[in-house]
Coordinates of all heavy atoms in Angstrom, one line a residue:
M1 N 132.4 42.9 123.0 CA 132.9 42.9 124.4 C 133.1 44.3 124.9 O 132.8 44.6 126.1 CB 134.1 42.0 124.6 CG 133.8 40.5 124.4 SD 132.6 39.8 125.6 CE 133.3 40.3 127.2
E2 N 133.7 45.1 124.1 CA 134.0 46.5 124.5 C 132.7 47.2 125.1 O 132.8 47.9 126.1 CB 134.6 47.3 123.4 CG 135.0 48.7 123.7 CD 136.2 48.7 124.7 OE1 137.1 47.8 124.6 OE2 136.2 49.5 125.6
T3 N 131.6 47.0 124.4 CA 130.4 47.6 124.8 C 129.9 47.1 126.2 O 129.5 47.9 127.0 CB 129.3 47.3 123.7 OG1 129.7 47.9 122.5 CG2 127.9 47.9 124.2
L4 N 130.0 45.8 126.4 CA 129.6 45.2 127.6 C 130.6 45.6 128.8 O 130.1 45.9 129.9 CB 129.5 43.7 127.5 CG 128.4 43.2 126.6 CD1 128.5 41.7 126.4 CD2 127.1 43.6 127.1
W5 N 131.9 45.7 128.5 CA 132.8 46.1 129.5 C 132.6 47.5 129.9 O 132.8 47.9 131.1 CB 134.3 45.9 129.0 CG 134.8 44.5 129.1 CD1 134.5 43.6 130.0 CD2 135.7 43.9 128.1 NE1 135.2 42.4 129.7 CE2 135.9 42.6 128.6 CE3 136.3 44.3 127.0 CZ2 136.7 41.7 127.9 CZ3 137.1 43.4 126.3 CH2 137.3 42.1 126.7
S6 N 132.2 48.3 129.0 CA 132.0 49.8 129.3 C 130.6 50.1 130.0 O 130.5 51.2 130.5 CB 132.1 50.6 128.0 OG 133.3 50.4 127.4
A7 N 129.7 49.1 129.9 CA 128.4 49.4 130.5 C 128.4 49.3 132.0 O 129.1 48.5 132.6 CB 127.4 48.3 129.9
D8 N 127.5 50.1 132.6 CA 127.3 50.1 134.0 C 126.3 49.0 134.5 O 126.3 48.7 135.7 CB 126.8 51.5 134.5 CG 127.8 52.6 134.3 OD1 129.1 52.3 134.3 OD2 127.4 53.7 134.1
S9 N 125.5 48.5 133.5 CA 124.5 47.5 133.9 C 124.4 46.6 132.7 O 124.9 46.9 131.6 CB 123.2 48.2 134.2 OG 122.8 49.0 133.1
P10 N 123.7 45.5 132.9 CA 123.5 44.5 131.7 C 122.8 45.2 130.6 O 121.9 46.1 130.8 CB 122.7 43.4 132.3 CG 122.9 43.5 133.8 CD 123.1 45.0 134.1
L11 N 123.1 44.8 129.3 CA 122.5 45.3 128.1 C 121.7 44.3 127.3 O 122.1 43.1 127.3 CB 123.6 45.9 127.2 CG 124.5 46.9 127.8 CD1 125.6 47.3 126.8 CD2 123.7 48.2 128.2
T12 N 120.7 44.8 126.7 CA 120.0 43.9 125.7 C 120.7 43.9 124.4 O 121.6 44.7 124.2 CB 118.5 44.4 125.4 OG1 118.7 45.7 124.8 CG2 117.7 44.5 126.7
A13 N 120.4 43.0 123.5 CA 121.0 42.9 122.2 C 120.8 44.2 121.5 O 121.7 44.7 120.8 CB 120.4 41.7 121.4
R14 N 119.6 44.8 121.6 CA 119.3 46.1 121.0 C 120.2 47.2 121.5 O 120.7 48.0 120.7 CB 117.8 46.4 121.1 CG 117.5 47.7 120.3 CD 116.0 47.9 120.1 NE 115.3 46.7 119.6 CZ 115.1 46.5 118.3 NH1 115.5 47.4 117.4 NH2 114.5 45.4 117.9
D15 N 120.4 47.2 122.8 CA 121.3 48.2 123.4 C 122.7 48.0 122.8 O 123.4 49.0 122.4 CB 121.5 48.0 124.9 CG 120.2 48.2 125.7 OD1 119.4 49.0 125.2 OD2 120.1 47.6 126.8
V16 N 123.2 46.8 122.7 CA 124.5 46.6 122.1 C 124.5 47.0 120.6 O 125.4 47.7 120.2 CB 124.9 45.1 122.2 CG1 126.2 44.8 121.4 CG2 125.0 44.6 123.6
Q17 N 123.5 46.7 119.9 CA 123.4 47.1 118.5 C 123.4 48.6 118.3 O 124.1 49.1 117.5 CB 122.1 46.5 117.9 CG 121.8 46.9 116.5 CD 120.5 46.5 116.0 OE1 119.5 46.3 116.8 NE2 120.3 46.3 114.7
E18 N 122.7 49.3 119.2 CA 122.6 50.8 119.1 C 124.0 51.4 119.5 O 124.3 52.5 119.0 CB 121.5 51.3 120.0 CG 120.1 51.0 119.5 CD 119.0 51.4 120.4 OE1 119.3 51.9 121.5 OE2 117.9 51.1 120.1
S19 N 124.8 50.7 120.3 CA 126.1 51.3 120.7 C 127.1 51.1 119.6 O 128.1 51.8 119.6 CB 126.6 50.6 122.0 OG 127.0 49.3 121.7
L20 N 126.8 50.3 118.6 CA 127.8 50.1 117.5 C 127.5 51.1 116.4 O 127.0 50.7 115.3 CB 127.7 48.7 117.0 CG 128.0 47.6 118.0 CD1 127.7 46.2 117.5 CD2 129.5 47.7 118.5
H21 N 127.7 52.3 116.7 CA 127.4 53.4 115.7 C 128.0 53.2 114.4 O 129.1 52.8 114.2 CB 127.9 54.8 116.3 CG 127.5 55.1 117.7 ND1 126.2 55.3 118.0 CD2 128.2 55.1 118.8 CE1 126.1 55.5 119.3 NE2 127.3 55.4 119.9
G22 N 127.2 53.5 113.4 CA 127.6 53.4 112.0 C 127.7 52.0 111.4 O 128.1 51.8 110.3
R23 N 127.4 51.0 112.2 CA 127.5 49.6 111.7 C 126.1 49.1 111.4 O 125.2 49.3 112.2 CB 128.2 48.7 112.7 CG 129.6 49.0 112.9 CD 130.3 47.9 113.6 NE 131.7 48.3 113.9 CZ 132.5 47.6 114.5 NH1 132.1 46.4 115.0 NH2 133.7 48.0 114.7
E24 N 125.9 48.6 110.2 CA 124.5 48.2 109.8 C 124.4 46.7 110.2 O 124.5 45.8 109.3 CB 124.3 48.4 108.3 CG 124.3 49.8 107.9 CD 123.3 50.7 108.6 OE1 122.1 50.1 108.8 OE2 123.5 51.8 109.0
L25 N 124.2 46.4 111.5 CA 124.1 45.0 111.9 C 122.6 44.7 112.3 O 122.0 45.5 113.0 CB 125.0 44.7 113.1 CG 126.5 44.9 112.9 CD1 127.2 44.7 114.2 CD2 127.0 43.8 111.9
A26 N 122.1 43.6 111.9 CA 120.8 43.1 112.3 C 120.8 42.7 113.7 O 121.9 42.2 114.2 CB 120.3 42.0 111.4
T27 N 119.7 42.9 114.4 CA 119.7 42.4 115.8 C 120.0 40.9 115.9 O 120.6 40.5 116.9 CB 118.3 42.7 116.4 OG1 118.0 44.1 116.2 CG2 118.2 42.4 117.9
T28 N 119.5 40.1 114.9 CA 119.8 38.7 114.9 C 121.3 38.4 114.9 O 121.8 37.5 115.5 CB 119.1 38.0 113.8 OG1 119.5 38.6 112.6 CG2 117.6 38.0 114.0
T29 N 122.1 39.2 114.2 CA 123.5 39.1 114.1 C 124.1 39.4 115.5 O 125.0 38.6 115.9 CB 124.1 40.0 113.1 OG1 123.5 39.8 111.8 CG2 125.6 39.9 113.0
V30 N 123.7 40.4 116.1 CA 124.2 40.7 117.5 C 123.8 39.6 118.4 O 124.6 39.2 119.3 CB 123.6 42.1 117.9 CG1 124.0 42.4 119.4 CG2 124.1 43.2 117.0
L31 N 122.6 39.1 118.3 CA 122.2 38.0 119.2 C 123.0 36.8 119.0 O 123.4 36.0 119.9 CB 120.7 37.6 119.0 CG 119.7 38.6 119.6 CD1 118.3 38.3 119.0 CD2 119.7 38.4 121.1
T32 N 123.4 36.5 117.7 CA 124.3 35.3 117.4 C 125.6 35.5 118.1 O 126.1 34.6 118.7 CB 124.4 35.2 115.9 OG1 123.1 34.9 115.3 CG2 125.4 34.0 115.6
V33 N 126.2 36.7 118.0 CA 127.5 36.9 118.6 C 127.4 36.8 120.1 O 128.3 36.2 120.7 CB 128.1 38.3 118.1 CG1 129.3 38.7 118.9 CG2 128.3 38.3 116.6
L34 N 126.4 37.4 120.7 CA 126.2 37.3 122.1 C 126.0 35.9 122.6 O 126.6 35.5 123.6 CB 125.0 38.2 122.6 CG 125.2 39.7 122.5 CD1 123.9 40.4 122.7 CD2 126.3 40.1 123.5
S35 N 125.3 35.1 121.8 CA 125.1 33.7 122.1 C 126.5 32.9 122.1 O 126.7 32.1 123.0 CB 124.1 33.1 121.2 OG 124.0 31.7 121.4
R36 N 127.3 33.2 121.1 CA 128.6 32.6 121.0 C 129.5 33.0 122.2 O 130.2 32.2 122.7 CB 129.2 32.9 119.7 CG 128.6 32.2 118.5 CD 129.2 32.5 117.2 NE 128.4 31.8 116.2 CZ 128.6 32.1 114.9 NH1 129.4 33.1 114.5 NH2 127.9 31.4 114.0
L37 N 129.4 34.3 122.5 CA 130.2 34.7 123.7 C 129.7 34.1 125.0 O 130.6 33.8 125.8 CB 130.1 36.3 123.8 CG 130.8 37.1 122.7 CD1 130.5 38.5 122.8 CD2 132.3 36.9 122.7
E38 N 128.5 33.8 125.1 CA 127.9 33.1 126.3 C 128.4 31.7 126.3 O 128.9 31.2 127.4 CB 126.4 33.2 126.3 CG 125.8 32.5 127.5 CD 124.3 32.4 127.4 OE1 123.7 32.6 126.4 OE2 123.7 32.2 128.5
R39 N 128.4 31.0 125.2 CA 128.9 29.6 125.1 C 130.4 29.6 125.5 O 130.8 28.6 126.1 CB 128.7 29.0 123.7 CG 127.3 28.5 123.5 CD 127.2 27.5 122.4 NE 127.5 28.1 121.1 CZ 126.7 28.8 120.3 NH1 125.5 29.0 120.6 NH2 127.2 29.3 119.2
K40 N 131.1 30.6 125.1 CA 132.6 30.6 125.5 C 132.8 31.0 126.9 O 134.0 31.1 127.4 CB 133.3 31.6 124.5 CG 133.4 31.1 123.1 CD 134.1 32.1 122.2 CE 134.2 31.6 120.8 NZ 135.1 32.4 120.0
G41 N 131.7 31.4 127.6 CA 131.9 31.8 129.0 C 132.3 33.2 129.3 O 132.7 33.6 130.4
L42 N 132.2 34.0 128.2 CA 132.6 35.4 128.4 C 131.5 36.4 128.8 O 131.8 37.4 129.4 CB 133.2 35.9 127.0 CG 134.4 35.2 126.5 CD1 134.8 35.7 125.1 CD2 135.6 35.4 127.5
V43 N 130.3 36.0 128.6 CA 129.1 36.7 129.0 C 128.1 35.8 129.7 O 128.1 34.6 129.4 CB 128.4 37.5 127.9 CG1 129.4 38.4 127.2 CG2 127.8 36.6 126.9
T44 N 127.3 36.4 130.5 CA 126.1 35.7 131.1 C 124.9 36.5 130.6 O 125.0 37.7 130.2 CB 126.1 35.7 132.6 OG1 126.1 37.0 133.1 CG2 127.3 34.9 133.1
R45 N 123.7 35.8 130.6 CA 122.5 36.5 130.3 C 121.5 36.3 131.4 O 121.5 35.2 132.0 CB 122.0 36.1 128.9 CG 121.4 34.7 128.9 CD 120.9 34.4 127.5 NE 120.5 33.0 127.5 CZ 119.7 32.5 126.6 NH1 119.3 33.2 125.6 NH2 119.3 31.3 126.7
E46 N 120.6 37.2 131.5 CA 119.5 37.1 132.4 C 118.2 37.6 131.7 O 118.2 38.4 130.9 CB 119.7 37.9 133.7 CG 120.0 39.4 133.4 CD 120.6 40.2 134.5 OE1 121.5 39.7 135.2 OE2 120.1 41.3 134.8
R47 N 117.1 37.0 132.1 CA 115.8 37.3 131.5 C 115.3 38.7 132.0 O 115.4 39.0 133.2 CB 114.8 36.2 131.9 CG 113.4 36.4 131.3 CD 113.4 36.3 129.8 NE 113.2 34.9 129.3 CZ 113.0 34.7 128.1 NH1 113.0 35.7 127.2 NH2 112.8 33.5 127.7
A48 N 114.9 39.5 131.1 CA 114.3 40.8 131.4 C 113.1 41.0 130.5 O 113.1 41.5 129.5 CB 115.3 41.9 131.1
G49 N 111.9 40.5 131.0 CA 110.7 40.5 130.3 C 110.8 39.5 129.1 O 111.2 38.3 129.3
R50 N 110.6 40.0 127.9 CA 110.7 39.1 126.7 C 112.2 39.0 126.2 O 112.5 38.2 125.4 CB 109.8 39.6 125.6 CG 108.3 39.4 126.0 CD 107.4 39.8 124.9 NE 107.8 39.3 123.6 CZ 107.5 39.9 122.4 NH1 106.8 40.9 122.4 NH2 107.9 39.3 121.3
A51 N 113.0 40.0 126.6 CA 114.4 40.0 126.2 C 115.3 39.4 127.2 O 114.9 39.0 128.3 CB 114.7 41.5 125.9
H52 N 116.6 39.4 126.8 CA 117.6 39.0 127.7 C 118.6 40.2 127.9 O 118.7 41.0 127.0 CB 118.4 37.8 127.2 CG 117.7 36.5 127.3 ND1 117.0 36.0 126.2 CD2 117.5 35.7 128.3 CE1 116.5 34.8 126.6 NE2 116.8 34.6 127.9
R53 N 119.2 40.3 129.0 CA 120.2 41.3 129.3 C 121.5 40.5 129.4 O 121.6 39.5 130.1 CB 119.9 42.1 130.5 CG 118.7 43.0 130.3 CD 118.6 44.1 131.4 NE 117.4 44.9 131.2 CZ 117.4 45.9 130.3 NH1 118.4 46.3 129.7 NH2 116.3 46.6 130.2
Y54 N 122.6 41.1 128.8 CA 123.9 40.4 128.8 C 124.9 41.3 129.6 O 124.8 42.5 129.6 CB 124.4 40.3 127.4 CG 123.5 39.4 126.6 CD1 122.4 39.8 125.9 CD2 123.8 38.0 126.4 CE1 121.5 39.0 125.2 CE2 123.0 37.2 125.7 CZ 121.9 37.7 125.1 OH 121.1 36.8 124.4
R55 N 125.8 40.5 130.3 CA 126.8 41.2 131.1 C 128.1 40.4 130.9 O 128.1 39.2 130.8 CB 126.4 41.1 132.6 CG 127.4 41.5 133.6 CD 127.0 41.1 135.0 NE 125.7 41.5 135.4 CZ 125.4 42.6 136.0 NH1 126.3 43.5 136.3 NH2 124.1 42.9 136.3
A56 N 129.2 41.1 130.9 CA 130.5 40.5 130.8 C 130.8 39.7 132.1 O 130.5 40.2 133.2 CB 131.6 41.5 130.6
V57 N 131.4 38.6 132.0 CA 131.7 37.7 133.2 C 132.8 38.3 134.0 O 132.8 38.3 135.2 CB 132.0 36.3 132.7 CG1 132.5 35.5 133.9 CG2 130.7 35.6 132.2
S58 N 133.8 38.9 133.3 CA 134.9 39.4 134.0 C 135.3 40.8 133.4 O 134.7 41.2 132.3 CB 136.1 38.5 133.8 OG 136.5 38.3 132.4
T59 N 136.2 41.5 134.0 CA 136.6 42.8 133.5 C 137.5 42.6 132.3 O 138.0 41.5 132.1 CB 137.3 43.6 134.6 OG1 138.6 42.9 134.9 CG2 136.5 43.8 135.8
R60 N 137.7 43.7 131.6 CA 138.6 43.7 130.4 C 140.0 43.2 130.9 O 140.7 42.4 130.3 CB 138.7 45.0 129.8 CG 139.7 45.2 128.7 CD 139.8 46.6 128.2 NE 138.6 47.2 127.7 CZ 137.9 48.1 128.4 NH1 138.3 48.5 129.5 NH2 136.7 48.6 127.9
E61 N 140.5 43.8 132.1 CA 141.8 43.5 132.6 C 141.9 42.0 133.0 O 143.0 41.4 132.8 CB 142.1 44.4 133.8 CG 142.2 45.9 133.5 CD 140.9 46.6 133.2 OE1 139.8 46.0 133.6 OE2 140.9 47.7 132.6
D62 N 140.9 41.4 133.6 CA 140.9 40.0 133.9 C 141.0 39.2 132.7 O 141.7 38.2 132.6 CB 139.6 39.6 134.7 CG 139.7 40.1 136.2 OD1 140.8 40.4 136.7 OD2 138.6 40.3 136.7
H63 N 140.3 39.6 131.7 CA 140.3 38.8 130.4 C 141.7 38.9 129.7 O 142.2 37.8 129.3 CB 139.2 39.4 129.4 CG 139.2 38.7 128.1 ND1 138.8 37.4 127.9 CD2 139.5 39.2 126.9 CE1 138.9 37.1 126.7 NE2 139.3 38.1 126.0
V64 N 142.3 40.0 129.7 CA 143.6 40.2 129.2 C 144.6 39.3 130.0 O 145.5 38.7 129.4 CB 144.0 41.7 129.1 CG1 145.5 41.8 128.7 CG2 143.2 42.4 128.1
A65 N 144.5 39.4 131.3 CA 145.4 38.6 132.1 C 145.3 37.1 131.8 O 146.2 36.4 131.7 CB 145.1 38.9 133.6
E66 N 144.0 36.6 131.6 CA 143.8 35.2 131.3 C 144.4 34.9 129.9 O 145.0 33.8 129.7 CB 142.3 35.0 131.2 CG 141.9 33.6 130.7 CD 141.4 32.7 131.7 OE1 141.1 33.1 132.8 OE2 141.2 31.5 131.4
L67 N 144.3 35.8 128.9 CA 144.9 35.6 127.6 C 146.4 35.4 127.8 O 147.0 34.6 127.1 CB 144.5 36.7 126.7 CG 143.1 36.7 126.2 CD1 142.8 38.0 125.4 CD2 142.7 35.5 125.4
M68 N 147.0 36.3 128.6 CA 148.4 36.3 128.8 C 148.8 34.9 129.5 O 149.9 34.3 129.1 CB 148.9 37.5 129.7 CG 148.7 38.8 128.9 SD 148.9 40.2 130.0 CE 150.6 40.2 130.3
R69 N 148.1 34.5 130.5 CA 148.4 33.2 131.1 C 148.3 32.0 130.1 O 149.1 31.1 130.0 CB 147.4 32.9 132.2 CG 147.8 33.5 133.6 CD 147.0 33.0 134.7 NE 145.6 33.2 134.5 CZ 144.9 34.3 134.8 NH1 145.6 35.3 135.3 NH2 143.6 34.4 134.7
D70 N 147.2 32.1 129.2 CA 147.0 31.0 128.2 C 148.2 31.0 127.2 O 148.7 30.0 126.9 CB 145.7 31.2 127.4 CG 144.5 31.0 128.2 OD1 144.6 30.3 129.3 OD2 143.4 31.3 127.8
A71 N 148.7 32.2 126.8 CA 149.8 32.3 125.9 C 151.1 31.7 126.6 O 151.8 31.0 126.0 CB 150.0 33.7 125.5
L72 N 151.3 32.1 127.9 CA 152.5 31.5 128.6 C 152.4 30.0 128.7 O 153.4 29.3 128.6 CB 152.5 32.2 130.0 CG 153.6 33.3 130.1 CD1 153.5 33.8 131.6 CD2 154.9 32.9 129.7
D73 N 151.2 29.5 129.0 CA 151.0 28.1 129.1 C 151.3 27.3 127.8 O 151.7 26.2 127.9 CB 149.6 27.7 129.6 CG 149.3 28.1 131.1 OD1 150.3 28.4 131.8 OD2 148.2 28.2 131.5
A74 N 151.1 28.0 126.7 CA 151.3 27.4 125.4 C 152.8 27.4 125.0 O 153.2 26.7 124.1 CB 150.5 28.1 124.3
A75 N 153.6 28.2 125.7 CA 155.0 28.3 125.3 C 155.8 27.1 125.9 O 155.7 26.8 127.1 CB 155.6 29.6 125.9
P76 N 156.6 26.4 125.1 CA 157.4 25.3 125.6 C 158.5 25.8 126.5 O 158.9 25.0 127.4 CB 158.0 24.7 124.3 CG 157.8 25.7 123.2 CD 156.7 26.6 123.6
D77 N 158.9 27.0 126.4 CA 159.9 27.6 127.3 C 159.4 28.9 127.9 O 159.6 29.9 127.3 CB 161.2 27.8 126.5 CG 162.4 28.3 127.4 OD1 162.1 28.7 128.6 OD2 163.5 28.2 126.9
R78 N 158.8 28.8 129.0 CA 158.1 29.9 129.6 C 159.1 31.0 129.9 O 158.8 32.2 129.7 CB 157.4 29.5 130.9 CG 156.2 28.7 130.7 CD 155.6 28.3 132.1 NE 155.0 29.4 132.8 CZ 153.7 29.5 132.9 NH1 152.9 28.7 132.4 NH2 153.2 30.6 133.6
G79 N 160.3 30.7 130.4 CA 161.3 31.7 130.7 C 161.7 32.5 129.4 O 161.8 33.7 129.5
A80 N 161.9 31.8 128.3 CA 162.2 32.5 127.1 C 161.1 33.4 126.6 O 161.3 34.5 126.1 CB 162.6 31.5 126.0
A81 N 159.9 32.9 126.8 CA 158.7 33.7 126.4 C 158.6 34.9 127.2 O 158.4 36.0 126.7 CB 157.4 32.9 126.5
L82 N 158.8 34.8 128.6 CA 158.8 35.9 129.4 C 159.9 36.9 129.1 O 159.7 38.1 129.1 CB 158.9 35.5 130.9 CG 157.6 35.0 131.5 CD1 157.9 34.3 132.9 CD2 156.6 36.1 131.7
A83 N 161.1 36.4 128.8 CA 162.2 37.3 128.5 C 161.9 38.1 127.2 O 162.2 39.3 127.2 CB 163.5 36.4 128.3
R84 N 161.4 37.4 126.3 CA 161.0 38.1 125.0 C 159.9 39.1 125.3 O 160.0 40.3 124.7 CB 160.5 37.0 124.0 CG 160.4 37.4 122.6 CD 161.6 37.7 121.8 NE 162.6 36.7 121.6 CZ 162.7 35.9 120.7 NH1 161.8 35.8 119.7 NH2 163.7 35.0 120.6
F85 N 158.9 38.8 126.1 CA 157.9 39.7 126.4 C 158.4 41.0 127.1 O 158.1 42.1 126.8 CB 156.8 39.0 127.3 CG 155.7 39.9 127.7 CD1 154.7 40.3 126.8 CD2 155.6 40.3 129.0 CE1 153.7 41.1 127.2 CE2 154.5 41.1 129.5 CZ 153.6 41.5 128.5
L86 N 159.3 40.7 128.1 CA 159.9 41.9 128.9 C 160.8 42.7 128.0 O 160.8 43.9 128.1 CB 160.7 41.3 130.1 CG 159.8 40.7 131.2 CD1 160.7 40.0 132.2 CD2 158.9 41.8 131.8
G87 N 161.5 42.1 127.1 CA 162.3 42.8 126.1 C 161.6 43.7 125.2 O 162.1 44.7 124.7
N88 N 160.3 43.4 125.0 CA 159.5 44.3 124.1 C 158.7 45.3 124.9 O 157.9 46.1 124.2 CB 158.5 43.4 123.3 CG 159.3 42.6 122.2 OD1 160.2 43.1 121.6 ND2 158.9 41.3 122.1
M89 N 158.8 45.3 126.2 CA 158.0 46.3 127.0 C 158.7 47.7 126.9 O 160.0 47.8 126.9 CB 157.9 45.9 128.4 CG 157.0 44.7 128.6 SD 157.0 44.1 130.3 CE 155.8 45.2 131.0
R90 N 157.9 48.7 127.1 CA 158.5 50.1 127.2 C 159.1 50.2 128.6 O 158.7 49.5 129.5 CB 157.4 51.1 127.0 CG 156.8 51.2 125.6 CD 155.9 52.3 125.4 NE 155.1 52.6 126.6 CZ 153.8 52.4 126.7 NH1 153.1 51.8 125.7 NH2 153.1 52.7 127.8
D91 N 160.0 51.2 128.8 CA 160.6 51.4 130.1 C 159.6 51.7 131.2 O 159.8 51.1 132.3 CB 161.6 52.5 130.0 CG 162.9 52.2 129.2 OD1 163.2 51.0 129.0 OD2 163.6 53.1 128.7
D92 N 158.6 52.5 130.9 CA 157.6 52.8 131.9 C 156.8 51.5 132.3 O 156.4 51.4 133.4 CB 156.7 53.9 131.5 CG 155.9 53.6 130.2 OD1 156.5 53.0 129.3 OD2 154.7 54.0 130.2
E93 N 156.6 50.6 131.3 CA 155.8 49.4 131.6 C 156.7 48.5 132.5 O 156.2 47.9 133.5 CB 155.4 48.7 130.3 CG 154.4 49.4 129.5 CD 154.2 48.8 128.1 OE1 155.2 48.2 127.6 OE2 153.1 49.0 127.6
R94 N 158.0 48.4 132.2 CA 158.9 47.6 133.1 C 158.9 48.2 134.5 O 159.0 47.4 135.5 CB 160.3 47.5 132.4 CG 160.5 46.4 131.5 CD 161.9 46.1 131.2 NE 162.6 47.2 130.5 CZ 162.5 47.4 129.2 NH1 161.8 46.6 128.4 NH2 163.1 48.4 128.6
A95 N 159.0 49.5 134.6 CA 159.0 50.2 135.9 C 157.7 49.8 136.7 O 157.7 49.5 137.9 CB 159.2 51.7 135.7
A96 N 156.6 49.9 136.0 CA 155.3 49.6 136.6 C 155.3 48.1 137.1 O 154.8 47.8 138.2 CB 154.1 49.8 135.7
L97 N 155.8 47.2 136.3 CA 155.9 45.8 136.7 C 156.8 45.6 137.9 O 156.5 44.9 138.8 CB 156.4 45.0 135.5 CG 156.5 43.5 135.7 CD1 155.1 42.9 136.0 CD2 157.0 42.8 134.4
R98 N 158.0 46.3 137.9 CA 158.9 46.2 139.1 C 158.1 46.7 140.3 O 158.3 46.1 141.4 CB 160.1 47.1 138.8 CG 161.2 46.4 138.2 CD 162.5 47.2 138.3 NE 163.1 47.2 136.9 CZ 163.0 48.1 136.0 NH1 162.4 49.2 136.2 NH2 163.6 47.9 134.8
D99 N 157.4 47.8 140.2 CA 156.6 48.3 141.4 C 155.6 47.3 141.8 O 155.4 47.1 143.0 CB 155.9 49.6 141.0 CG 156.8 50.8 140.8 OD1 158.0 50.7 141.3 OD2 156.4 51.8 140.3
L100 N 154.9 46.6 140.9 CA 153.9 45.6 141.3 C 154.6 44.4 141.9 O 154.0 43.8 142.9 CB 153.2 45.1 140.0 CG 152.2 46.1 139.5 CD1 151.7 45.7 138.1 CD2 151.0 46.3 140.4
L101 N 155.8 44.0 141.5 CA 156.5 42.9 142.0 C 157.1 43.2 143.4 O 157.3 42.3 144.2 CB 157.5 42.3 141.0 CG 157.0 41.7 139.8 CD1 158.1 41.4 138.8 CD2 156.2 40.4 140.1
G102 N 157.5 44.5 143.6 CA 158.1 44.9 144.8 C 157.2 45.0 145.9 O 157.4 44.7 147.0

């Protein structure tokens, strides 16, 4: 996902594979992962000749926000979960949150 989030345009499986410097991954392995990400709704693909090009459905920030919402939804006591979360934030993060809420 990091590779797709960082890209300016859709990437082929080979593009993704080449961006993973130092990892000995077969193109079929990269295609399998991209296919799974597509089934999960995290990426879309479009035909580009004989290949497909893949693009992230949302930004990294949108994805993280969704994960945070999912985690909150799973908490039986949302208030307690939020209090614990805020208690673990750095002062500058709490200040940024106050600015966003203000």
